[in-house]
Amino acid sequence: LHRKNDSYDFHIIPLSHLYADYIEMDIQSGFDEIYKEDDEKERIKNISDDLYKAVKRQIKHYDSKISKLQASLEEALNLQGDKTCCDLLYTCEDLDRKGLKEITISDFEGNAQQIRLDPKLSIKANANKYYSTYQKKRKGKVYIEEQIEIAQREKEYFEAINEQLNIANYTDALDIKDELLRYGYLKKQQKNIRKKKVNLYTS
């Protein structure tokens, strides 16, 4: 036998033509050695196929989740505009005025700013509404950032699991399976047990 990457060169005569190290074994032990790794690979494949699917499904899930959270974050980041509208509206002289759909106010740098209003509300109530939206977005921003960080950690965890599966032996694959089962990422397969029907009516 001469080891060659993940396989063997072998023959019933010495492999001296390879000009490399080789070992001699009896025929049965030799074939056991040759096919041992093939059997191991097949066993790993049988257990790893479902693991790969579960892991890739989770990676895809967190990719989608992060993308949606980032879109929500961009919306939440537009909070300073609401705070500015609130501050500018409070500079108005007649805060109790109603019926306006919009108002033009000079900002703190002297530039004209158009602010949309709810005509059913007073200018003061509109200012409070903008401030409420600002507060909601500010709190939402913190929460979304936390959720993005959690999702990224989860994604990195499954990417690491995927890398481990690429080099795992049979024992490693079983350990990974147990871990995924323990954390609920895999469901235990239930064996179908056919119950014998019992006739409750006797003649």
Side-chain angles (χ1 to χ4, degrees), residues 97-102 117-122 126:
R97 185 177 177 183
K98 294 182 180 181
L100 297 177
K101 293 183 178 180
E102 65 178 24
L117 301 175
D118 183 343
K120 296 190 295 294
L121 302 176
S122 67
N126 271 286

Side-chain angles (χ1 to χ4, degrees), residues 11-192:
H11 207 285
I12 59 171
I13 62 174
L15 302 175
S16 55
H17 66 286
L18 297 176
Y19 301 102
D21 293 334
Y22 60 87
I23 58 173
E24 295 182 14
M25 305 176 75
D26 65 76
I27 289 180
Q28 185 61 52
S29 299
F31 279 115
D32 286 345
E33 181 69 23
I34 291 167
Y35 295 114
K36 178 178 67 177
E37 291 192 15
D38 288 340
D39 291 342
E40 178 81 352
K41 289 176 184 176
E42 185 62 27
R43 293 171 72 200
I44 293 171
K45 183 179 183 299
N46 288 338
I47 193 174
S48 295
D49 281 350
D50 288 341
L51 299 182
Y52 271 118
K53 288 178 184 177
V55 168
K56 289 184 184 299
R57 184 167 60 246
Q58 290 296 329
I59 292 173
K60 184 177 179 181
H61 164 72
Y62 284 108
D63 271 334
S64 175
K65 185 173 184 178
I66 290 169
S67 178
K68 290 177 182 177
L69 285 169
Q70 287 174 335
S72 298
L73 181 61
E74 287 180 12
E75 183 179 343
L77 286 174
N78 188 27
L79 51 83
Q80 193 54 46
D82 296 297
K83 178 67 164 57
T84 300
C85 288
C86 168
D87 293 339
L88 290 177
L89 287 174
Y90 267 110
T91 65
C92 293
E93 292 182 0
D94 187 3
L95 292 176
D96 294 326
R97 185 177 177 183
K98 294 182 180 181
L100 297 177
K101 293 183 178 180
E102 65 178 24
I103 190 171
T104 301
I105 305 176
S106 294
D107 64 18
F108 304 110
E109 296 177 355
N111 300 313
Q113 297 288 339
Q114 280 191 330
I115 301 175
R116 295 178 62 184
L117 301 175
D118 183 343
K120 296 190 295 294
L121 302 176
S122 67
I123 292 177
K124 182 179 180 180
N126 271 286
N128 291 337
K129 186 176 179 180
Y130 273 111
Y131 185 74
S132 176
T133 302
Y134 160 75
Q135 288 284 51
K136 184 178 179 181
K137 286 183 178 180
R138 186 176 64 84
K139 292 177 182 177
K141 172 179 171 290
V142 174
Y143 173 78
I144 293 168
E145 286 174 339
E146 289 174 351
Q147 292 303 306
I148 288 175
E149 186 178 343
I150 291 170
Q152 285 175 334
R153 285 203 303 267
E154 289 292 310
K155 181 188 171 186
E156 288 169 4
Y157 165 75
F158 285 105
E159 287 175 339
I161 291 290
N162 194 62
E163 290 298 319
Q164 291 174 26
L165 283 172
N166 290 335
I167 58 173
N169 58 33
Y170 184 71
T171 303
D172 294 336
L174 282 178
D175 289 341
I176 292 170
K177 181 179 180 180
D178 288 341
E179 184 173 329
L180 294 178
L181 282 169
R182 187 165 63 251
Y183 291 112
Y185 296 116
L186 272 181
K187 293 182 179 180
K188 291 183 179 180
Q189 293 182 345
Q190 295 183 347
K191 294 181 179 179
N192 292 326

Side-chain angles (χ1 to χ4, degrees), residues 2-10 34 37-38 41:
H2 165 65
R3 182 73 178 184
K4 183 181 179 182
N5 296 326
D6 291 335
S7 61
Y8 285 100
D9 283 327
F10 59 94
I34 291 167
E37 291 192 15
D38 288 340
K41 289 176 184 176

